[in-house]
Tab-separated table of all heavy atoms in Angstrom:
chain	number	residue	atom	x	y	z
T	3	ALA	N	-14.606	-13.207	-35.629
T	3	ALA	CA	-13.620	-12.381	-34.939
T	3	ALA	C	-13.091	-11.246	-35.807
T	3	ALA	O	-12.523	-10.301	-35.298
T	3	ALA	CB	-12.457	-13.251	-34.475
T	4	LEU	N	-13.283	-11.312	-37.113
T	4	LEU	CA	-12.785	-10.255	-37.987
T	4	LEU	C	-13.546	-8.955	-37.783
T	4	LEU	O	-13.049	-7.890	-38.113
T	4	LEU	CB	-12.862	-10.689	-39.453
T	4	LEU	CG	-11.988	-11.883	-39.828
T	4	LEU	CD1	-12.113	-12.168	-41.316
T	4	LEU	CD2	-10.542	-11.678	-39.448
T	38	ASP	N	-11.715	-19.049	-31.583
T	38	ASP	CA	-11.693	-18.093	-30.473
T	38	ASP	C	-10.484	-17.163	-30.592
T	38	ASP	O	-9.379	-17.598	-30.922
T	38	ASP	CB	-11.609	-18.809	-29.126
T	38	ASP	CG	-12.866	-19.584	-28.782
T	38	ASP	OD1	-13.932	-19.287	-29.356
T	38	ASP	OD2	-12.773	-20.497	-27.930
T	39	VAL	N	-10.705	-15.889	-30.308
T	39	VAL	CA	-9.618	-14.918	-30.282
T	39	VAL	C	-8.909	-15.048	-28.948
T	39	VAL	O	-9.507	-14.870	-27.893
T	39	VAL	CB	-10.140	-13.483	-30.497
T	39	VAL	CG1	-9.010	-12.482	-30.364
T	39	VAL	CG2	-10.807	-13.359	-31.861
T	43	THR	N	-4.433	-6.941	-30.712
T	43	THR	CA	-3.807	-5.636	-30.551
T	43	THR	C	-3.981	-4.911	-31.873
T	43	THR	O	-4.552	-5.445	-32.818
T	43	THR	CB	-2.318	-5.763	-30.146
T	43	THR	OG1	-1.830	-4.488	-29.738
T	43	THR	CG2	-1.460	-6.297	-31.272
T	45	VAL	N	-2.066	-1.731	-34.574
T	45	VAL	CA	-0.988	-0.800	-34.892
T	45	VAL	C	-1.640	0.411	-35.557
T	45	VAL	O	-2.725	0.295	-36.125
T	45	VAL	CB	0.081	-1.449	-35.800
T	45	VAL	CG1	0.810	-2.561	-35.060
T	45	VAL	CG2	-0.513	-1.978	-37.088
T	48	SER	N	-2.313	1.164	-41.660
T	48	SER	CA	-2.951	0.103	-42.445
T	48	SER	C	-1.928	-0.976	-42.765
T	48	SER	O	-0.755	-0.669	-43.026
T	48	SER	CB	-3.505	0.673	-43.748
T	48	SER	OG	-4.511	1.608	-43.486
Side-chain angles (χ1 to χ4, degrees):
L4 296 182
D38 292 340
V39 176
T43 192
V45 294
S48 296

